[in-house]
């Protein structure tokens, strides 16, 4: 599986992310197309080589006009929802802005829906977030880890006058994401835009560079060249080294990358495999809680949803416990529930399910339960409000235990079928066939689905 590590020792900003992506091989035209899809005033992305402390990287400049336009969270959300974007890119950008809206709401003591973005709502910052979402999605990264984030210190001037550094929005976004931070330098090293992209991309996975075979490195240059350190953001991309033991035998197997979502963070909502775009295959979401094995034959989630769900297999940051959000709903057309549950998963929920209940005066209703990591709370709450008729909700932290997961595939008469492997202390204890792959193979081979699932399961058992 393709994994990545962000070196944020010099901080991060939107243009540094774009530069690192271009330096890593992402076509600038791909990110430009995503920005153009917003339908705003003309915005141009231009890439050039730049040197910081003798080290070369790529600097991407965003050329956009200054316009007096309403940039409240609701307006930006409408813009993103109406744009012709890949769904993974749209959900990633919405996730980043939802984090910023929650942070600004907390800093100013207002409702998130009423947050008026100033610097972050400018066209260049919107282009940074959407371009980064499109670029990261195109790389096929299944898990992204970020280092400790250097945020800087001192003061800067914003639309409201002088503000302390790190900016309140930066601290709140990274705090909500459970990201480790350090001041280290006497200037603004991490911008709110940079913090939101880090939080959405890493989705709770922070630490030193994971063990990998490095395949490429992207270096993005910031606008300044301070004397304290090289103002560069590094994106290191490689193949995960993930040994899998057979039960009772010393055998090492490396997962094959065949387009299935792997364990992330992405979701890591900013992370998606290239083969998951526009497949045209039907999407099914189960209506019950996650099984004890952590997988379901009939479940295929969106890239963002699966990335968040698989992130649960990683150790959470200190104090960052998973959260269950609940609300009782008695007036929603029941035909809308499947779409509502799908929207919650797309917003970053690890799982979403319904429980039928009886409310006062004998009214039938449902309790919708949503399991998510802390960094997804804002996006999940927003999805609940937008896709159901609730006017409030409750939440509580829980303890969760999930097995480590790996992905491989088996071949049934020429048809590749994905298999999710669950491990306990490195030992394979469960293997689950991907339902959609088996269904496609059964249709092509003219066999009953149950026969193909049995064949694939038997082949998986032989491997492990």
């Amino acid at each position: 599986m393709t994994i990545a590590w962000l070196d944020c020792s010099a901080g991060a900003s939107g243009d540094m992310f774009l530069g690192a992506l271009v330096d890593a091989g992402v076509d600038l035209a791909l990110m430009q197309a995503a920005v153009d899809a917003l339908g705003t005033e003309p915005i141009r992305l231009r890439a050039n080589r730049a040197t910081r402390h003798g080290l070369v990287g790529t600097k991407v400049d965003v050329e956009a006009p200054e316009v007096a336009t309403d940039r409240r969270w609701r307006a930006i959300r409408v813009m993103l929802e109406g744009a012709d974007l890949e769904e993974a890119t749209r959900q990633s950008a919405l996730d980043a802005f939802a984090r910023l809206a929650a942070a600004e709401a907390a800093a100013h003591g207002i409702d998130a829906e009423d947050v008026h973005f100033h610097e972050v709502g400018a066209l260049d910052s919107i282009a940074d977030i959407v371009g980064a979402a499109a670029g990261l999605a195109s790389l096929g990264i299944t898990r992204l880890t970020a280092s400790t984030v250097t945020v800087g210190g001192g003061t800067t001037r914003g639309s409201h006058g002088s503000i302390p550094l790190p900016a309140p929005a930066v601290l709140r976004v990274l705090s909500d994401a459970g990201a480790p931070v350090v001041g280290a330098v006497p200037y603004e090293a991490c911008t709110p835009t940079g913090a939101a992209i880090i939080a959405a991309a890493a989705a709770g996975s922070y630490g030193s560079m994971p063990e990998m075979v490095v395949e490429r490195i992207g270096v993005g240059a910031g606008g300044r060249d301070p004397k304290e350190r090289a103002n560069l953001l590094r994106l290191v991309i490689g193949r995960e080294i993930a040994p899998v033991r057979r039960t009772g035998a010393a055998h090492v197997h490396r997962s094959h990358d065949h387009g299935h979502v792997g364990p992330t963070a992405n979701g890591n909502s900013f992370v998606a495999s290239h083969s998951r775009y526009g497949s045209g295959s039907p999407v099914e979401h189960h209506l019950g809680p996650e099984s004890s094995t952590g997988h379901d034959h009939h479940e295929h989630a969106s890239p963002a949803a699966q990335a968040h769900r698989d992130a649960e297999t990683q150790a959470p940051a200190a104090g960052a416990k998973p959260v269950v959000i609940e609300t009782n709903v008695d007036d929603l057309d029941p035909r809308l529930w499947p779409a509502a549950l799908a929207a919650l998963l797309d917003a970053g929920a690890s799982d979403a399910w319904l429980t039928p209940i009886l409310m006062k005066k004998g009214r039938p209703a449902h309790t919708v339960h949503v399991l998510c990591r802390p960094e997804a709370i804002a996006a999940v709450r927003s999805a609940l409000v937008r896709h159901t008729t609730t006017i409030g909700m409750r939440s509580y932290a829980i303890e969760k235990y999930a097995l480590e997961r790996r992905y491989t595939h088996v071949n049934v008469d020429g048809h590749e079928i994905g298999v999710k492997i669950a491990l306990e202390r490195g030992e394979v204890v469960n293997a689950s066939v991907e339902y959609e792959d088996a269904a496609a193979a059964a249709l092509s081979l003219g066999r009953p689905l149950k026969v193909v699932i049995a064949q694939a399961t038997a082949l998986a058992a032989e491997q492990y």
Side-chain angles (χ1 to χ4, degrees), residues 329-331 356-366:
V329 177
D330 66 353
D331 55 352
I357 60 172
L358 195 66
M359 295 180 62
K360 62 185 179 181
K361 299 182 180 179
R363 296 199 307 271
H366 289 90

Side-chain angles (χ1 to χ4, degrees), residues 58-377:
T58 297
K59 175 74 172 68
V60 171
D61 292 306
V62 180
E63 300 175 359
E66 291 187 10
V67 292
T69 305
D70 180 11
R71 297 298 181 198
R72 285 183 169 80
W73 165 219
R74 62 171 68 92
I76 292 177
R77 185 170 59 217
V78 169
M79 177 196 299
L80 293 172
E81 290 179 340
D84 183 17
L85 296 168
E86 294 281 359
E87 194 57 31
T89 299
R90 185 195 329 278
Q91 293 302 328
S92 299
L94 285 169
D95 182 13
F97 271 109
R99 295 170 188 274
L100 284 167
E104 293 285 1
H108 299 292
I110 60 177
D111 187 89
E113 289 295 313
D114 296 325
V115 165
H116 191 145
F117 292 119
H118 297 285
E119 291 83 0
V120 176
L123 289 176
D124 55 348
S125 293
I126 295 172
D128 286 340
I129 290 177
V130 173
L136 280 167
S138 73
L139 288 171
I141 299 168
T142 55
R143 185 176 75 251
L144 185 145
T145 303
S147 72
T148 295
V149 183
T150 296
V151 293
T155 60
T156 190
R157 292 201 64 81
S159 59
H160 295 295
S162 179
I163 60 172
L165 294 173
V170 169
L171 282 181
R172 175 68 66 165
V173 167
L174 295 177
S175 171
D176 289 346
V181 300
V182 64
V185 293
Y187 53 83
E188 183 179 33
C190 185
T191 66
T193 302
I197 299 174
I198 291 171
S205 183
Y206 302 98
S208 58
M209 185 189 302
E211 187 177 7
M212 71 169 83
V213 176
V214 176
E215 295 181 327
R216 45 183 164 164
I217 303 168
V219 181
R224 295 179 297 177
D225 191 11
K227 64 181 181 180
E228 286 81 4
R229 62 183 63 187
N231 193 19
L232 300 169
L233 176 72
R234 294 191 298 166
L235 176 64
V236 182
I237 305 169
R239 295 193 319 275
E240 181 179 32
I241 300 175
V244 177
R245 278 197 297 121
R246 286 182 187 264
T247 303
H251 173 77
V252 174
H253 172 80
R254 299 194 188 281
S255 300
H256 300 279
D257 183 4
H258 60 285
H260 287 283
V261 185
T264 58
N266 283 223
N268 186 327
S269 61
F270 264 78
V271 178
S273 170
H274 62 279
S275 64
R276 296 194 297 271
Y277 288 127
S279 64
S281 61
V283 178
E284 289 194 32
H285 297 282
H286 70 121
L287 302 186
E290 190 173 53
S291 66
S292 60
T293 59
H295 50 241
D296 190 302
H297 287 297
H298 300 274
E299 180 178 355
H300 247 55
S302 71
Q306 187 68 55
H308 275 277
R309 192 169 313 164
D310 288 338
E312 297 293 331
T313 65
Q314 308 301 318
K321 290 185 177 181
V323 172
V324 170
I325 301 173
E326 296 177 346
T327 184
N328 298 340
V329 177
D330 66 353
D331 55 352
L332 182 71
D333 184 333
R335 294 173 297 179
L336 300 179
W337 276 120
L341 294 173
L344 291 168
L345 295 170
D346 287 340
S350 304
D351 203 357
W353 66 98
L354 298 176
T355 302
I357 60 172
L358 195 66
M359 295 180 62
K360 62 185 179 181
K361 299 182 180 179
R363 296 199 307 271
H366 289 90
T367 298
V368 55
H369 313 261
V370 189
L371 174 65
C372 67
R373 295 167 69 88
E375 59 272 14
I377 290 175

